[in-house]
Amino acid sequence: MSRRVVRQSKFRHVFGQAAKADQAYEDIRVSKVTWDSSFCAVNPKFLAIIVEAGGGGAFIVLPLAKTGRVDKNYPLVTGHTAPVLDIDWCPHNDNVIASASDDTTVMVWQIPDYTPVRNITEPIITLEGHSKRVGILSWHPTARNVLLSAGGDNVIIIWNVGTGEVLLSLDDMHPDVIHSVCWNSNGSLLATTCKDKTLRIVDPRKGQVVAERFAAHEGMRPMRAVFTRQGHIFTTGFTRMSQRELGLWDPNNFEEPVALQEMDTSNGVLLPFYDADSSIVYLCGKGDSSIRYFEITDEPPFVHYLNTFSSKEPQRGMGFMPKRGLDVSKCEIARFYKLHERKCEPIIMTVPRKSDLFQDDLYPDTPGPEPALEADEWLSGQDAEPVLISLREGYVPPKHRELRVTKRNILDVRPPSGPRRSQSASDAPLSQHTLETLLEEIKALRERVQAQEQRITALENMLCELVDGTD
């Protein structure tokens, strides 16, 4: 009797390939801060990387197309007074990014489509509520302007960025440092891991821990957790003997793991990047030189090893492109941005297919840039799945999106000082500060153009003199 030995899966032959040298981003001084975040955030328009900076914290934002050597004077986003520890792009506006820092603050920035002349130093809003370093950021997947931050004070704060208000503060759930926080697909629950070795499922609006598991991984080193599309929790951690381990858990039955696999012996924390469309999880260890990937299914052993992408250089961090930023014409199902010491290198994951036609089975409809809920609706108890888009025609990111100013939305103007502004003032499309900044930038650009023209004239004169001399 014959039996099928090889498991059938369209992702069995997924392979990784580093982009060509001219597609990398060179001469970037990647941050050396000791912190287990990815140090890199990417969306269909921009690449952001936390960098070394004297006298505070900074990150660099590059248009995706600006590959090659980065000028050492390229403008940075500076404003924090201590190192930046985490950055995260808003899923509903490709021009808005949040940064968290050792200086206890969270800042939200609007990034212009043009390259700024000088450093961006003025955030749209500064969120102050933590008493210690803020090391974790995560935007709500479906509600507009809702941002989560977690700090060294063991507190999780959920903010309405559009008003600067604290929506929720979860300050008595975690007795020790929080290692990771992840939303589920509709943003109704959180999965958190903590130094006390407990994996928790939290309902943030009720302020309750709805399920928990102590020592999901028995080692003392940090654990990570992400929700899967089946509602399970995928975790990475360490055994008591310091071997790296991965686990799959059902929150309705935390007694026994759905799957538990030992991997290797290494100190680097495994950062899981989960793609819900394909149900593939990619594991990137800090200090590793490989990316291992697994498919999660309903069939035993539930977590199926697919392959490993290996390279020579260890990774300092990793960015993970949202699905709408991929090239569907090349059957690309994931793209990573690997941080080296002085550069960032794209790594492309592809499913080999002979046909050039759009592959429906690889690209189901995926979350788009439109939010499904307003912040107040989510806070009042409503839930909604992400608004999906088709990638059949490819995704073209919109031009610079200034967020519309509503009566309580200040994402595209400076926050008001003192009492709230009148309706007429909040309806103004640009603040006085924004106008002054734009005029200043235009003036500086004109001066640069003038200087370049003078330089060109001088060079032309020198050329003429040389030509005359040879005659």
Side-chain angles (χ1 to χ4, degrees), residues 41-152:
V42 64
N43 70 21
K45 289 172 87 166
F46 297 108
L47 168 68
I49 300 167
I50 303 174
V51 294
E52 286 287 286
F59 58 98
I60 190 168
V61 177
L62 299 166
L64 276 194
K66 193 169 177 58
T67 53
R69 197 172 298 282
V70 177
D71 190 293
K72 68 178 189 300
N73 296 318
Y74 194 91
L76 304 177
V77 182
T78 60
H80 287 289
T81 56
V84 176
L85 301 178
D86 199 14
I87 48 179
D88 196 25
W89 286 105
C90 175
H92 306 127
N93 188 329
D94 287 341
N95 293 80
V96 171
I97 189 169
S99 60
S101 168
D102 219 333
D103 66 9
T104 76
T105 69
V106 174
M107 292 181 177
V108 180
W109 311 82
Q110 188 127 18
I111 305 298
D113 281 338
Y114 62 86
T115 302
V117 180
R118 54 180 67 80
N119 287 353
I120 299 174
T121 57
E122 290 288 331
I124 302 156
I125 193 163
T126 301
L127 305 172
E128 296 174 309
H130 289 281
S131 59
K132 291 187 178 175
R133 62 163 51 174
V134 188
I136 297 170
L137 286 176
S138 183
W139 290 89
H140 192 284
T142 63
R144 189 195 307 273
N145 294 349
V146 175
L147 176 66
L148 175 150
S149 62

Side-chain angles (χ1 to χ4, degrees), residues 116-365:
V117 180
R118 54 180 67 80
N119 287 353
I120 299 174
T121 57
E122 290 288 331
I124 302 156
I125 193 163
T126 301
L127 305 172
E128 296 174 309
H130 289 281
S131 59
K132 291 187 178 175
R133 62 163 51 174
V134 188
I136 297 170
L137 286 176
S138 183
W139 290 89
H140 192 284
T142 63
R144 189 195 307 273
N145 294 349
V146 175
L147 176 66
L148 175 150
S149 62
D153 49 10
N154 313 336
V155 174
I156 292 173
I157 298 178
I158 298 173
W159 309 84
N160 181 346
V161 173
T163 62
E165 295 170 311
V166 173
L167 295 178
L168 299 162
S169 182
L170 311 175
D171 47 13
D172 53 1
M173 288 185 181
H174 299 88
D176 214 324
V177 176
I178 300 163
H179 286 149
S180 74
V181 182
C182 175
W183 296 97
N184 66 349
S185 63
N186 68 2
S188 59
L189 295 173
L190 298 169
T192 71
T193 62
C194 177
K195 196 176 178 182
D196 69 353
K197 293 178 28 174
T198 303
L199 167 64
R200 294 174 174 84
I201 309 301
V202 176
D203 184 327
R205 289 169 297 193
K206 289 181 180 171
Q208 292 176 353
V209 176
V210 295
E212 61 183 356
R213 162 73 199 215
F214 175 70
H217 299 281
E218 294 184 343
M220 288 303 297
R221 302 259 312 130
M223 186 165 46
R224 288 284 188 277
V226 291
F227 277 98
T228 71
R229 71 179 182 202
Q230 295 91 349
H232 289 162
I233 311 292
F234 179 88
T235 59
T236 64
F238 293 79
T239 66
R240 197 174 288 154
M241 303 301 291
S242 289
Q243 275 206 298
R244 293 199 291 200
E245 191 173 47
L246 59 82
L248 189 66
W249 306 85
D250 181 352
N252 300 315
N253 178 18
F254 260 151
E255 293 305 309
E256 289 295 321
V258 177
L260 199 63
Q261 294 180 24
E262 285 187 11
M263 293 180 62
D264 58 7
T265 305
S266 176
N267 288 330
V269 174
L270 283 169
L271 305 179
F273 295 94
Y274 177 71
D275 172 25
D277 294 345
S278 60
S279 204
I280 295 177
V281 65
Y282 301 86
L283 302 185
C284 307
K286 276 200 143 181
D288 287 10
S289 52
S290 63
I291 301 171
R292 269 168 280 206
Y293 40 106
F294 300 79
E295 186 178 359
I296 299 172
T297 72
D298 297 328
E299 302 170 11
F302 305 106
V303 181
H304 307 270
Y305 172 75
L306 290 174
N307 211 334
T308 300
F309 167 81
S310 296
S311 57
K312 292 176 184 172
E313 297 289 322
Q315 54 230 17
R316 297 279 294 278
M318 195 70 81
F320 187 48
M321 175 67 80
K323 208 54 169 278
R324 57 197 170 90
L326 303 181
D327 186 346
V328 296
S329 68
K330 294 179 179 165
C331 295
E332 183 183 3
I333 61 159
R335 193 188 312 151
F336 291 91
Y337 287 77
K338 174 182 170 179
L339 299 187
H340 298 245
E341 200 169 324
R342 299 279 303 192
K343 75 171 181 178
C344 175
E345 174 186 45
I347 294 166
I348 294 150
M349 299 287 179
T350 308
V351 176
R353 290 279 169 96
K354 289 178 181 174
S355 170
D356 290 335
L357 299 174
F358 179 74
Q359 307 291 312
D360 297 79
D361 60 326
L362 297 184
Y363 301 107
D365 288 356

Side-chain angles (χ1 to χ4, degrees), residues 44 90-94 141-142 144 324 366-372 387-389 395-398 401 403:
C90 175
H92 306 127
N93 188 329
D94 287 341
T142 63
R144 189 195 307 273
R324 57 197 170 90
T366 196
E370 291 305 316
V387 178
L388 303 181
I389 59 170
Y395 173 77
V396 179
R401 292 175 66 181
L403 293 200

Side-chain angles (χ1 to χ4, degrees), residues 6-15 280 293 295 305-307 351-352:
V6 178
R7 186 180 67 90
Q8 292 298 308
S9 168
K10 59 193 167 202
F11 300 116
R12 212 157 48 86
H13 299 293
V14 170
F15 68 97
I280 295 177
Y293 40 106
E295 186 178 359
Y305 172 75
L306 290 174
N307 211 334
V351 176

